[in-house]
């Protein structure tokens, strides 16, 4: 748990995703409007890729072919061919998109739109946006269970987490937690979602019953969270 030498990328690096093969990390640079690949074995940055306007969140398809990058400044999502480094046609989603996740089967991208308070599904095969799914006010982050059945979306403005049935794209009953629901992740076994609350707590949620557990005190202004895998990652389930 010791930090290595910093790797110079673009201005205001924000999002990061690891390719399923574990060889490359991709970093969004919000103020440089670029995406920087990093060679993981050598920790060296590669030439940056144009990524629209104010890129923030990023997710990579399970087959490692395409990165989807949220452009905060344009209400767009940019699909980027990782073999060529070329961006495709921008996909319009909601207002102030910030984070996104891809279903484990690689079929659908789900984009969280903060000011629209909804989630936009995108068909990966066609890059066409579908009908937005309503969630809580100021929705900010999303995580999908490993079996692809449910997405959980945090809402800072409502202090809750909304489960979404991905078979029907319908939101369920919001799960109330302590103030400032922000970052979210799901354990590799899919049994627990962990929510980082801005007011210094991490709340576990039982995904079988959608009930919150006892909050865990964490650092000040807790925002992001990940769970370390307890076994070798499965490439088909890798995602942001």
């Amino acid at each position: 748990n010791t930090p290595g030498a910093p790797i110079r990328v673009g201005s205001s690096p924000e999002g990061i995703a690891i390719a399923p093969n574990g060889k490359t990390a991709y970093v969004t640079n919000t103020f440089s409007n670029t995406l920087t690949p990093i060679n993981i074995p050598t920790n060296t940055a590669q030439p940056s890729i144009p990524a629209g306007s104010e890129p923030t969140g990023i997710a990579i398809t399970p087959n490692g072919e395409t990165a989807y990058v949220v452009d905060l400044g344009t209400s767009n999502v940019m699909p980027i061919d990782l073999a060529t480094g070329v961006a495709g046609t921008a996909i319009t989603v909601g207002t102030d998109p910030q984070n996104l996740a891809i279903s484990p089967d690689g079929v659908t991208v789900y984009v969280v739109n903060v000011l629209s308070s909804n989630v936009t599904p995108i068909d990966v095969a066609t890059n066409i946006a579908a009908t937005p799914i309503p969630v809580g006010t100021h929705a900010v982050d999303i995580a999908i269970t490993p079996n692809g059945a449910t997405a959980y979306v945090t809402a800072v403005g409502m202090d809750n987490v909304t489960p979404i049935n991905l078979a029907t794209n319908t939101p369920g009953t919001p799960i109330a937690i302590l103030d400032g629901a922000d970052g979210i992740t799901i354990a590799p076994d899919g049994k627990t979602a962990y929510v980082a609350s801005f007011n210094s707590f991490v709340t576990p949620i039982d995904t079988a019953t959608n009930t919150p557990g006892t909050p865990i005190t964490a650092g000040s202004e807790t925002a992001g969270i990940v769970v370390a895998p307890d076994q070798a990652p499965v490439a088909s389930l890798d995602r942001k």
Side-chain angles (χ1 to χ4, degrees):
N1 286 335
T2 55
I7 304 164
R8 178 65 64 184
V9 289
S11 177
S12 189
E14 175 76 16
I16 187 167
I18 308 295
N21 64 11
K23 294 181 179 179
T24 309
Y26 293 88
V27 180
T28 58
N29 307 301
T30 303
F31 294 159
S32 296
N33 299 329
T34 58
L35 178 68
T36 299
I38 295 174
N39 182 298
I40 289 176
T42 63
N43 279 342
T44 53
Q46 307 302 304
S48 292
I49 301 167
S53 175
E54 297 182 28
T56 54
I58 177 174
I60 297 173
T61 53
N63 62 13
E65 293 180 357
T66 308
Y68 286 84
V69 177
V70 169
D71 280 342
L72 185 66
T74 60
S75 295
N76 289 335
V77 171
M78 300 291 294
I80 297 176
D81 185 319
L82 295 182
T84 63
V86 175
T89 303
I91 307 161
T92 301
V93 290
T95 304
D96 197 20
Q98 187 163 343
N99 288 305
L100 70 173
I102 299 175
S103 59
D105 61 10
V107 170
T108 309
V109 181
Y110 294 90
V111 183
V112 179
N113 306 300
V114 179
L115 295 184
S116 295
S117 299
N118 59 27
V119 172
T120 301
I122 297 172
D123 185 301
V124 169
T126 62
N127 282 338
I128 294 175
T131 302
I133 305 163
V135 289
T137 302
H138 287 177
V140 65
D141 201 8
I142 183 170
I144 298 174
T145 54
N147 63 7
T150 309
Y152 289 86
V153 180
T154 57
V156 174
M158 300 295 289
D159 298 332
N160 65 26
V161 178
T162 299
I164 298 174
N165 182 327
L166 296 186
T168 60
N169 281 347
T170 53
T173 303
I175 305 161
I177 63 168
L178 290 176
D179 294 348
D182 200 333
I184 185 168
T185 192
I186 296 174
D189 62 9
K191 294 181 179 180
T192 309
Y194 292 92
V195 182
S197 295
F198 199 67
N199 286 346
S200 307
F201 294 97
V202 171
T203 301
I205 295 174
D206 185 322
T207 58
T209 62
N210 283 342
T211 54
T214 303
I216 304 161
T217 301
S220 176
E221 298 186 2
T222 309
I225 184 169
V226 297
V227 175
D230 54 8
Q231 57 187 6
V234 179
S236 64
L237 297 183
D238 280 358
R239 62 190 186 280
K240 177 177 178 283

